[in-house]
Amino acid sequence: MANKSIRSLSSRKELDENLFENIATASQKENSKEALQELSKKFMVDDSVVLGASTFYDFTREENKNKKIHVCSGTACMVAKTQSSLHKNLESHFNADEIGHAACVGRCHTNNAFMYDDKTYNASTKEELKAIINTKEYQNNEYRVTTNSTPILTSSIEDVSVFYSLAEKHKDTPQNTIQQLKTSNLRGRGGAGFPFWFKLDAVIKETNEQKYIVCNADEGDPGAYSDMYLMEHQPHKVLFGMYMAGLTVGANTGVLYIRGEYPDSIKIVGDAITELKEKNLIGDFKFKIIRGQGSYVCGEETALLSSIEGLRPEVRVRPPYPAQYGLYGKPTLLSNVETFANIHWILENGGDAYATLGTKQSTGTKLVSLDSFFNTPGMYEIEMGTPLQTIFDEFGGGFKSEVKGLQIGGPLGGIVPMHKISELTLDFESLGNNGFLLGHASFVSIPIDFPMVKFLEHLMEFTADESCGKCYPCRIGSHRGMEMLQKAQKTDYKIDRQLFDDLLETLEIGSLCALGGGVPLPVKNALQYFQDELSEYFTNN
């Protein structure tokens, strides 16, 4: 009830003068405490509301205010073992308390990654780093891009005006649009694989005068940079998908929540929106970019909505679902970047054409992110159902060094041992039926010399650090798991296997969202497939 009241107060100014954006700005001021108090008065909410939000994010916390540079702490950079030397080199240019961290900056294909002067970089030598610090010159984020199928997401747009003219053919037939998407069997590309048409159908049935389209562009999975690719190289495919969804369900506003670690994405999408306005291609439909402030849990849809509203981004209990009670309590269609980017091709070519690609249950194509351990890392648009071994050999070009397993689908994705790769294909069912996860289709390699116990400690530490704190299993359980794994490495303590299994079960079934509920999957995979390596840290129970 309290959050509903605060949400109502925040919605008075809605997106024109957004509370969350104001909190981000106020947090960076020298007199941030006073600025935040003034903000509370302005929005007529208690000081605790604004303080609770401002102390949550990496980029707004008081203790992080003086950070001048942020070193990537993502899984791909961690296993590549590049960040310790990078951090040491940075100490020649910055004081220790001026160096912060960022969960992932999208340079998983190169590593040595960091964020500086609102730009992202990679620097593998002291000389490269010194030149960047001194000049602050822009550095292109380059990687290979190609496809093995019909280029739906990676094809170029010749004429933006012609591209958006497709909306005129479909704006007055919303039920046909929904039917085409239903026929296509487009499933959410954010990881859950939920049928996209169902969300449209749910929101169109709501009678509220105000509805929203929200794009979850908070791609926080370390190892994934597919959403970044789309926003920086195919922004109009994303924007068209949101615009068409708005025309279909009766929403006049589209919000893109883009992670702050992707400054280029924010700028390029902003330029694309300006182009649409200048060319008058979207009528009175409005777009709004919200810049994230550093929080993985904001990738969970209800936490993301709370964040936009200026509340502490805690996961909401469902029902009600966003389709009925979403942004500012209004009906909201929320999906991710890659899902929206598919809509134009489906409407232009028909749902049947899309359904012929991939498998029966996993149709279409999927963007795949390959990390730096591959000989040819990059962004690949792969038809669903393609064998993983084919992707590794024909696109990844094999590995630069020996790899014992891969984590597929982000920090909550399964850990797949190398001997299982030949049995799997790129689709929801193949990975899911074998106890793994497709997720964002990011591939993070685990080299032969990287201790699996250290990898599990990283996953628990990541979950503990990123937990919204609303539910006990995630907030406390992840810390306990991390503590046990750390103690087992540093002392002669052995983890009671039954106790550890009970902890994983509590996380899995007791957590409110996929953060706490998802981390047991990779841990269980590791315990199953890397038992010989991990046995010394556990009892035999």
Side-chain angles (χ1 to χ4, degrees):
M1 183 61 72
N3 276 354
K4 284 187 176 182
S5 299
I6 297 167
R7 186 169 291 121
S8 177
L9 289 168
S10 174
S11 69
R12 292 182 307 114
K13 300 177 184 292
E14 289 194 336
L15 297 165
D16 293 331
E17 191 169 354
N18 178 255
L19 176 56
F20 174 61
E21 291 179 302
N22 275 272
I23 290 173
T25 300
S27 297
Q28 301 307 313
K29 294 182 178 179
E30 286 297 322
N31 59 337
S32 58
K33 184 178 180 180
E34 291 78 6
L36 290 169
Q37 288 175 336
E38 285 300 315
L39 199 56
S40 300
K41 295 177 183 177
K42 182 177 180 180
F43 280 82
M44 297 190 297
V45 297
D46 193 83
D47 288 353
S48 63
V49 174
V50 174
L51 183 64
S54 67
T55 56
F56 185 87
Y57 304 94
D58 289 340
F59 301 146
T60 61
R61 293 174 187 164
E62 179 68 27
E63 61 268 30
N64 291 343
K65 191 165 64 172
N66 67 334
K67 305 300 183 187
K68 294 183 178 179
I69 193 163
H70 295 83
V71 178
C72 179
S73 61
T75 314
C77 283
M78 179 192 71
V79 295
K81 300 179 181 178
T82 61
Q83 303 311 83
S84 294
S85 58
L86 173 62
H87 201 285
K88 185 176 180 180
N89 291 338
L90 285 170
E91 290 176 352
S92 300
H93 303 274
F94 301 93
N95 296 326
D97 63 353
E98 293 177 328
I99 304 172
H101 83 279
C104 182
V105 300
R107 291 187 176 239
C108 318
H109 49 91
T110 55
N111 311 128
N112 298 286
F114 59 97
M115 185 176 174
Y116 175 60
D117 192 40
D118 204 30
K119 294 184 281 288
T120 62
Y121 297 95
N122 57 270
S124 57
T125 66
K126 291 181 179 180
E127 292 73 25
E128 280 184 283
L129 182 61
K130 183 178 180 180
I132 290 168
I133 300 302
N134 290 340
T135 66
K136 299 182 180 179
E137 289 184 1
Y138 179 81
Q139 182 189 68
N140 284 323
N141 189 8
E142 297 178 344
Y143 43 86
R144 188 168 179 240
V145 179
T146 189
T147 180
N148 75 338
S149 183
T150 302
I152 295 172
L153 302 167
T154 54
S155 60
S156 59
I157 298 173
E158 301 299 329
D159 188 309
V160 172
S161 297
V162 173
F163 187 80
Y164 277 83
S165 67
L166 181 68
E168 292 297 312
K169 301 177 183 178
H170 295 275
K171 67 177 184 179
D172 296 324
T173 55
Q175 290 302 331
N176 178 64
T177 297
I178 294 174
Q179 183 58 50
Q180 289 302 318
L181 291 165
K182 183 177 182 179
T183 301
S184 75
N185 194 28
L186 172 65
R187 295 169 64 180
R189 296 313 199 229
F194 190 77
F196 179 69
W197 74 269
F198 192 85
K199 291 186 176 183
L200 288 167
D201 191 57
V203 176
I204 199 174
K205 290 175 180 176
E206 297 297 312
T207 57
N208 201 300
E209 291 184 7
Q210 179 64 64
K211 299 178 182 179
Y212 293 102
I213 307 297
V214 175
C215 179
N216 182 350
D218 194 49
E219 182 182 49
D221 288 347
Y225 48 102
S226 51
D227 289 356
M228 181 185 72
Y229 161 74
L230 288 169
M231 288 188 284
E232 295 178 11
H233 298 276
Q234 307 284 357
H236 283 297
K237 291 188 179 180
V238 181
L239 294 174
F240 176 89
M242 295 179 67
Y243 173 53
M244 194 67 241
L247 293 179
T248 301
V249 303
N252 67 352
T253 304
V255 182
L256 297 103
Y257 189 100
I258 305 177
R259 61 190 281 103
E261 295 89 341
Y262 287 179
D264 283 354
S265 298
I266 294 169
K267 181 181 183 302
I268 292 169
V269 172
D271 290 344
I273 292 171
T274 299
E275 182 182 6
L276 293 179
K277 293 177 181 177
E278 290 175 348
K279 293 182 177 179
N280 194 27
L281 297 178
I282 54 173
D284 61 356
F285 191 86
K286 298 175 291 185
F287 280 108
K288 170 74 174 181
I289 294 174
I290 299 289
R291 180 178 186 138
Q293 294 297 321
S295 170
Y296 179 76
V297 79
C298 286
E300 196 282 330
E301 61 179 15
T302 60
L304 183 151
L305 295 175
S306 293
S307 180
I308 296 173
E309 295 162 344
L311 301 172
R312 191 174 175 88
E314 294 179 339
V315 174
R316 299 183 195 173
V317 177
R318 288 161 290 186
Y321 294 93
Q324 289 77 42
Y325 186 84
L327 183 60
Y328 298 122
K330 303 295 192 293
T332 301
L333 187 148
L334 196 155
S335 196
N336 96 308
V337 172
E338 189 174 338
T339 312
F340 283 119
N342 278 284
I343 292 176
H344 188 282
W345 194 94
I346 292 171
L347 295 183
E348 184 177 43
N349 296 277
D352 286 325
Y354 191 86
T356 61
L357 300 171
T359 69
K360 184 177 181 180
Q361 292 176 293
S362 296
T363 58
T365 62
K366 180 76 189 74
L367 290 179
V368 170
S369 309
L370 299 186
D371 74 355
S372 66
F373 278 90
F374 289 89
N375 284 309
T376 51
M379 182 59 50
Y380 301 105
E381 183 176 6
I382 304 295
E383 186 167 341
M384 287 285 206
T386 300
L388 295 192
Q389 196 66 57
T390 299
I391 300 172
F392 290 6
D393 296 342
E394 297 183 9
F395 294 89
F399 295 96
K400 295 173 183 174
S401 59
E402 190 175 359
V403 169
K404 62 184 174 185
L406 296 102
Q407 184 168 37
I408 303 176
L412 309 180
I415 296 177
V416 185
M418 288 305 297
H419 75 267
K420 292 286 290 183
I421 295 299
S422 60
E423 304 172 18
L424 302 171
T425 54
L426 186 77
D427 54 80
F428 294 105
E429 288 68 41
S430 176
L431 287 159
N433 292 339
N434 282 277
F436 307 116
L437 185 73
L438 177 61
H440 249 90
S442 56
F443 289 75
V444 173
S445 308
I446 306 174
I448 197 76
D449 61 349
F450 195 95
M452 188 57 69
V453 67
K454 196 71 181 174
F455 196 90
L456 298 188
E457 178 196 340
H458 163 73
L459 296 180
M460 284 294 187
E461 183 179 19
F462 179 86
T463 304
D465 187 53
E466 298 293 343
S467 175
C468 78
K470 185 169 185 175
C471 64
Y472 294 142
C474 180
R475 184 176 76 201
I476 300 174
S478 55
H479 271 282
R480 294 295 173 261
M482 178 185 71
E483 289 169 350
M484 283 191 278
L485 290 164
Q486 289 174 341
K487 187 176 179 180
Q489 293 175 75
K490 296 175 181 178
T491 70
D492 59 0
Y493 166 78
K494 287 186 179 292
I495 302 169
D496 184 295
R497 181 59 190 271
Q498 184 59 56
L499 178 65
F500 198 71
D501 287 345
D502 289 346
L503 173 67
L504 294 178
E505 183 180 20
T506 302
L507 277 161
E508 192 170 35
I509 66 177
S511 299
L512 279 173
C513 81
L515 180 55
V519 73
L521 174 64
V523 177
K524 287 180 177 180
N525 291 154
L527 291 169
Q528 177 182 358
Y529 294 110
F530 298 92
Q531 184 177 1
D532 291 345
E533 180 182 341
L534 293 169
S535 60
E536 65 176 289
Y537 301 103
F538 291 84
T539 63
N540 294 322
N541 293 346

